[in-house]
Amino acid sequence: MTTKAEPHGYVTKGIHWVSAGLIAFGYFKGLENVSELADPATFRTEVLFALAIGALFAFRLFWTKKIGGATRLPQDAPRWEHFASRAVHIGLYASVFGIVLSGLGIALGFATPLLGGVFVTTMIGIHELALMALPLLLIAHIAGALWHKFVRKDGVMESMVY
Ligand code: HEM
């Protein structure tokens, strides 16, 4: 039996659930083909959306590291849980930043023919890889939350909800 997790603060919780919504929306409305960027309104919306998610996750990283505190996993939780939690959180940030930066790279390459096809193709490759990795990491993340709720009953799941 480990100690109970302290709840996350309202700012961390707010950012967490707003960003979960934005990620879901991003998958829902994502483009099918690079050529859709030829429409100036679509181009602008995509770039603004990428910048908004990037800024939110950068602020979230700053907030949890410097102000609100990161994981609420109790110190005396098993070592493997600390390792798994850290690995998945790093993976989540890496894949979100990977999606955002490669998305901006695609837009840049599309608007700057001088950069050439290899640049755009590379950016699309990174974009698709990160878009595939994120749902897998989210499955692990949600499975972890459920593990804490139903098996460990240590308040880690509740720390992001109540
Ligand atoms: C039903 C969906 C979700 C549930 C139940 C959930 C649950 C949780 C819980 C309980 C924590 C706290 C873990 C701890 O203190 O160690 C947490 C943190 C975190 N979650 Fe989620 N989450 C969900 C969706 C998402 C989504 C869509 C993302 C987006 C990438 C995300 C990214 C993160 C990150 C990066 C953290 C680490 C703390 C932070 O930087 O805010 N989660 N989540």
Side-chain angles (χ1 to χ4, degrees):
M1 191 68 181
T2 52
T3 39
K4 280 266 171 199
E6 290 291 316
H8 281 279
Y10 288 113
V11 176
T12 304
K13 278 190 259 199
I15 300 173
H16 180 268
W17 294 112
V18 167
S19 54
L22 284 176
I23 296 277
F25 177 73
Y27 273 92
F28 177 69
K29 67 122 202 81
L31 300 186
E32 288 298 320
N33 201 291
V34 187
S35 61
E36 292 173 49
L37 289 176
D39 172 37
T42 307
F43 186 93
R44 211 171 31 243
T45 314
E46 287 299 306
V47 170
L48 284 177
F49 187 65
L51 289 174
I53 291 208
L56 187 66
F57 270 78
F59 176 70
R60 168 186 190 156
L61 194 55
F62 159 79
W63 183 268
T64 52
K65 286 255 170 240
K66 300 284 177 205
I67 299 175
T71 182
R72 293 304 195 248
L73 186 62
Q75 274 302 325
D76 52 357
R79 272 171 65 91
W80 74 265
E81 282 185 7
H82 280 279
F83 175 80
S85 150
R86 198 170 154 70
V88 172
H89 287 164
I90 291 174
L92 287 172
Y93 276 108
S95 44
V96 170
F97 286 128
I99 292 167
V100 167
L101 293 176
S102 57
L104 291 172
I106 294 169
L108 181 71
F110 191 81
T112 323
L114 212 69
L115 282 171
V118 177
F119 179 80
V120 177
T121 313
T122 308
M123 288 298 141
I124 292 175
I126 298 174
H127 202 61
E128 288 185 344
L129 209 70
L131 279 168
M132 255 170 8
L134 183 58
L136 300 179
L137 288 159
L138 282 173
I139 290 172
H141 183 61
I142 293 168
L146 295 174
W147 166 262
H148 285 285
K149 174 150 184 71
F150 295 110
V151 181
R152 304 274 289 131
K153 301 184 173 99
D154 55 6
V156 169
M157 166 80 174
E158 289 75 5
S159 75
M160 197 49 102
V161 180
Y162 303 111

